[in-house]
Amino acid sequence: MFRSVEYYAGDPILGLMDKFSADPNPNKVNLGIGIYYDEEGVLPVLDCVKTAEERIADPISARPYLPMAGLPGHRSACQNLLFGKNAQVLTDGRVATIATLGGSGALKVGAEFIHQWFPQSKYYVSDPTWSNHIAIFEGCDVEVGTYPYYDKASSSIKFDEMIGFFETLNKQDIVLLHPCCHNPTGMDLTKAQWDKVLEVIKQRELIPFMDIAYQGFGEDMDSDAYAIRKAVDMDLILFVSNSYSKNLSLYGERVGGLSVVCPTVEETERVFGQLNFIVRRIYTSPPSHGGRVVDIVMNDDALYQQWVSEVYGMRDRIKAMRLKLKSVLESKLPERSFDYITRQNGMFSFTGLTVEQIEQLQTEFGIYMVSNSRMCVAGLNVNNIDYVANAMVKVLKD
Ligand code: LMR
């Protein structure tokens, strides 16, 4: 009956996590999945989240279904964070936002919407990108292509090629963009480069789909949203998926949002209705717990400020690890340049190690990185960084 069902080879990132968990090596280091671990190698519960949890801790409260779009306070939290509190586009009522099951859930609902309402549009992702950017859209029968983005040889962005490619695209083609902390390369556009990209998008009447999963881990909350806010200033229509997995350290709660910036209030209402309908057809409504935490933290001034400083603490620790890794590697391999490590932003560093070198790190040292050479710098700490640096030196020399 099921003999024609294909085997699933497993996910390149989640599968690595399972392999890491099963590894008996006492020195093993997980630099695969994009998860922030603290200086002790522990997955943190943020203090602002602890306070929110205490406020929720009410064992007798009723558990009704949430609205299809999620809690109003979760939705407004997404809007304020992405577009800026009191942004004109929000007071105009031109943003349709729903709470989603993490960033992946936002991408899925967005992909379903595009499949149904923009069936002629092709969808382009950066080469390389996060594997789920491709899988989710292909799973919704949207045709997926890639645009030039990263040059491995020079560890830099192929900006002119990217612009040249966008100039060949058709009206209403979709381009998936990472507003900050590009996954997997860590290489972001400058503000001037964003201006140019958005100009071409406007000229060609393309549709930007911005996926922001690391807001606050690049420069700061506002600078990391530069591309989103600039696109709004330029009157572009825009999809934005956002995730609270990393910046609220709420990975398992699956909290995120999907926002669509529309030209008019009337169109916003239509889009909002269809987003609700898509949710109803897939899972009816989101679960309540994570949404309540987001609502409490983001809508209480003191907790919000506490949250921002906790995110900046994580950001700064990752930056310190980048500096340290670069300096150890440079001292041991002075003939090579490791500048790229500190030019990259967010959790990831694209190391340029070969598949064989990555394999050797895993089997010989128990150090896990994604096979495309992506290292999660947020898994480094003072206790393991020398071990990792020495192992990298060994495989680079072998
Ligand atoms: C990652 O890129 O490692 C994270 O976004 C986790 C995931 O779901 O792949």
Side-chain angles (χ1 to χ4, degrees):
M1 170 88 84
F2 298 118
R3 284 192 194 285
S4 59
V5 175
E6 281 177 22
Y7 278 103
Y8 173 46
D11 182 81
I13 297 173
L14 302 182
L16 200 62
M17 182 82 185
D18 297 339
K19 216 168 165 192
F20 173 81
S21 303
D23 188 339
N25 185 339
N27 299 319
K28 65 185 177 178
V29 184
N30 186 4
L31 306 177
I33 193 161
I35 290 183
Y36 177 90
Y37 295 101
D38 66 15
E39 199 55 46
E40 310 306 320
V42 172
L43 182 65
V45 180
L46 302 189
D47 287 336
C48 58
V49 169
K50 284 183 196 153
T51 307
E53 297 277 7
E54 279 159 18
R55 289 191 198 164
I56 294 172
D58 167 7
I60 53 164
S61 69
R63 301 297 149 91
Y65 290 123
L66 295 195
M68 292 177 275
L71 289 171
H74 178 162
R75 293 167 45 217
S76 62
C78 294
Q79 294 187 333
N80 293 337
L81 188 61
L82 298 170
F83 303 100
K85 216 171 177 173
N86 305 319
Q88 187 65 43
V89 72
L90 298 178
T91 47
D92 288 350
R94 288 197 297 109
V95 186
T97 298
I98 61 163
T100 59
L101 309 188
S104 297
L107 288 160
K108 172 69 179 169
V109 174
E112 289 284 355
F113 182 92
I114 284 161
H115 172 66
Q116 184 171 0
W117 299 104
F118 294 86
Q120 309 302 336
S121 297
K122 275 190 76 174
Y123 158 86
Y124 293 90
V125 297
S126 60
D127 175 24
T129 195
W130 180 50
S131 51
N132 231 9
H133 284 152
I134 298 171
I136 288 174
F137 280 77
E138 279 182 347
C140 292
D141 284 335
V142 176
E143 196 178 335
V144 181
T146 58
Y147 61 82
Y149 188 76
Y150 185 75
D151 181 41
K152 271 192 178 166
S154 60
S155 308
S156 61
I157 295 173
K158 295 174 174 172
F159 187 67
D160 293 341
E161 277 183 61
M162 176 182 175
I163 291 291
F165 186 83
F166 281 10
E167 279 166 346
T168 67
L169 298 183
N170 295 316
K171 187 173 166 179
Q172 295 193 344
D173 277 345
I174 320 276
V175 284
L176 190 287
L177 301 161
H178 308 220
C180 67
C181 308
H182 185 270
N183 181 1
T185 69
M187 287 298 294
D188 290 331
L189 299 178
T190 62
K191 290 191 169 97
Q193 287 176 324
W194 275 118
D195 292 351
K196 177 75 189 149
V197 165
L198 294 171
E199 232 172 74
V200 177
I201 285 176
K202 186 165 181 147
Q203 266 167 20
R204 304 290 309 172
E205 296 180 62
L206 310 177
I207 303 176
F209 195 130
M210 300 202 188
D211 182 31
I212 180 159
Y214 300 89
Q215 192 169 353
F217 283 92
E219 275 184 63
D220 56 62
M221 292 295 168
D222 293 323
S223 306
D224 289 356
Y226 176 81
I228 296 169
R229 297 180 191 178
K230 178 77 187 185
V232 170
D233 287 348
M234 292 170 68
D235 285 332
L236 296 175
I237 73 154
L238 172 69
F239 289 73
V240 186
S241 47
N242 76 291
S243 167
Y244 292 111
S245 297
K246 334 278 174 176
N247 57 17
L248 264 170
S249 194
L250 282 179
Y251 304 86
E253 294 295 348
R254 313 309 297 134
V255 269
L258 175 66
S259 298
V260 186
V261 179
C262 306
T264 63
V265 174
E266 197 254 346
E267 287 161 284
T268 311
E269 283 164 9
R270 287 173 188 270
V271 170
F272 185 64
Q274 286 300 327
L275 297 180
N276 278 264
F277 189 27
I278 293 168
V279 167
R280 176 59 167 149
R281 289 189 307 234
I282 309 180
Y283 56 86
T284 291
S285 59
S288 55
H289 186 80
R292 290 176 79 186
V293 175
V294 169
D295 183 2
I296 293 170
V297 172
M298 299 288 160
N299 293 307
D300 174 304
D301 283 347
L303 285 183
Y304 178 83
Q305 288 312 328
Q306 185 179 21
W307 170 65
V308 170
S309 56
E310 290 189 84
V311 176
Y312 292 170
M314 295 192 274
R315 174 201 64 190
D316 293 346
R317 199 190 76 75
I318 296 172
K319 283 186 190 290
M321 288 300 107
R322 287 186 183 278
L323 279 170
K324 168 90 174 146
L325 182 65
K326 177 173 177 274
S327 96
V328 179
L329 290 173
E330 279 177 351
S331 70
K332 306 214 166 179
L333 293 172
E335 67 285 5
R336 277 177 177 261
S337 168
F338 293 96
D339 270 0
Y340 68 86
I341 297 176
T342 47
R343 281 193 283 118
Q344 298 161 338
N345 291 314
M347 286 198 183
F348 304 122
S349 177
F350 215 51
T351 61
L353 294 174
T354 63
V355 173
E356 293 72 32
Q357 288 165 333
I358 304 274
E359 184 68 29
Q360 191 185 347
L361 282 175
Q362 206 179 104
T363 49
E364 223 174 283
F365 300 95
I367 295 171
Y368 288 72
M369 293 183 197
V370 182
S371 60
N372 64 6
S373 95
R374 188 190 84 173
M375 170 204 287
C376 180
V377 187
L380 294 173
N381 58 51
V382 282
N383 300 315
N384 65 24
I385 195 161
D386 287 307
Y387 177 69
V388 170
N390 288 331
M392 283 177 74
V393 170
K394 168 91 173 17
V395 302
L396 284 165
K397 275 185 170 165
D398 275 1

